[in-house]
């Protein structure tokens, strides 16, 4: 991954200069790296399937935060019971037509399972555990964070830092049609994500 990917995501999550964040997004786009956003999960899935139709070795898959409690209602089952059963080896390595393959876009890996993995393209479900409100990130709807965590907001940002930097060619973010996430969707676009059309 180009260092610019990490810098772009750092700027996005740490609320750095908006114009600079946008300029990084433009540079990435010009170099072929895609940061896309949609509110339609099936549109995101179709994009990946079509993009890699003739690339049998391509790896693409769904990722989501383990702390979110919204995505399950929008087609991404990131519940603890489901994600603890994920076998990462088969998920990442099996051929596209294998039921266990990440390319089936049916099972989801959380930040714990995908850390250290690189996909060609990631489909990231953006949850309610980190939302943009007015002019900053908020954890208002996040599942409880343990008391011993010194900086829970930094922990949330780190989760999304992992999720948003797994794709070598790019990332398409699915933001559910939930009014609590409207500002997040708009913020991603204003930061340089391009709407998936």
């Amino acid at each position: 991954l180009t260092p610019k990917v990490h810098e772009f995501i750092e700027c996005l999550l740490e609320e750095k200069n908006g114009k600079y964040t946008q300029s990084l997004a433009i540079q990435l786009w010009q170099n072929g790296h895609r940061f896309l956003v949609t509110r339609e999960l099936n549109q995101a899935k179709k994009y990946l399937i079509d993009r890699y139709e003739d690339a049998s070795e391509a790896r693409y898959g769904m990722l989501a935060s383990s702390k979110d409690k919204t995505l399950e209602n929008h087609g991404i089952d990131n519940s603890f019971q489901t994600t603890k059963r994920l076998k990462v080896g088969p998920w990442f390595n099996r051929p596209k037509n294998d039921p266990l393959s990440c390319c089936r876009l049916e099972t989801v890996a959380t930040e714990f399972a995908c850390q250290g993995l690189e996909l060609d393209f990631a489909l990231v479900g953006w949850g309610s555990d980190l939302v943009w409100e007015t002019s900053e990130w908020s954890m208002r709807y996040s599942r409880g964070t343990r008391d011993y965590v010194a900086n829970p907001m930094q922990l949330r940002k780190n989760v999304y830092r992992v999720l948003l930097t797994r794709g070598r060619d790019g990332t398409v973010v699915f933001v559910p049609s939930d009014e609590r996430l409207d500002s997040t969707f708009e913020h991603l676009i204003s930061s340089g994500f391009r709407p998936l059309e």
Side-chain angles (χ1 to χ4, degrees):
L1 286 172
T2 167
K4 296 280 188 198
V5 169
H6 293 276
E7 189 178 0
F8 172 64
I9 296 304
E10 178 73 12
C11 288
L12 173 74
L13 295 173
E14 298 304 333
E15 303 156 32
K16 303 248 172 101
N17 181 294
K19 289 199 182 323
Y20 182 64
T21 306
Q22 292 167 354
S23 73
L24 286 171
I26 291 167
Q27 289 175 52
L28 286 164
W29 188 271
Q30 289 170 341
N31 288 317
H33 195 94
R34 302 290 177 248
F35 276 107
L36 302 162
V37 64
T38 180
R39 303 203 84 167
E40 300 290 335
L41 181 58
N42 286 335
Q43 182 188 34
K45 290 182 176 185
K46 184 178 186 312
Y47 171 78
L48 292 180
I49 291 165
D50 291 349
R51 180 182 175 108
Y52 294 106
E53 184 178 12
D54 299 322
S56 61
E57 298 302 311
R59 300 285 89 194
Y60 48 89
M62 286 197 300
L63 310 175
S65 166
S66 63
K67 289 288 184 193
D68 165 70
K69 53 188 176 186
T70 301
L71 291 168
E72 239 185 305
N73 300 323
H74 297 277
I76 297 181
D77 185 358
N78 63 329
S79 64
F80 176 73
Q81 292 303 323
T82 298
T83 57
K84 78 174 186 179
R85 292 193 299 268
L86 181 75
K87 294 182 176 24
V88 179
W91 183 84
F92 186 72
N93 291 305
R94 293 279 176 91
K96 285 184 184 182
N97 60 355
D98 190 296
L100 298 178
S101 171
C102 59
C103 298
R104 295 295 291 266
L105 300 172
E106 292 169 2
T107 52
V108 62
T110 68
E111 67 274 17
F112 302 112
C114 75
Q115 198 156 5
L117 290 179
E118 270 193 5
L119 297 163
D120 292 296
F121 222 101
L123 194 174
V124 174
W126 196 290
S128 61
D129 56 328
L130 186 67
V131 298
W132 186 259
E133 292 190 324
T134 313
S135 60
E136 63 184 3
W137 294 109
S138 166
M139 293 175 43
R140 183 156 46 131
Y141 308 111
S142 182
R143 286 181 186 162
T145 302
R146 300 191 190 278
D147 294 335
Y148 61 78
V149 176
N151 189 338
M153 176 56 82
Q154 195 58 52
L155 185 63
R156 281 297 92 226
K157 289 178 178 180
N158 287 344
V159 166
Y160 280 85
R161 188 174 280 109
V162 169
L163 298 175
L164 294 167
T165 57
R166 297 306 92 197
R168 275 190 294 263
D169 298 339
T171 300
V172 56
V173 172
F174 162 61
V175 180
S177 293
D178 177 324
E179 63 182 17
R180 296 173 302 169
L181 290 163
D182 289 351
S183 295
T184 303
F185 177 74
E186 290 159 13
H187 181 63
L188 292 176
I189 289 174
S190 69
S191 298
F193 281 72
R194 300 199 184 191
L196 180 60
E197 296 170 350

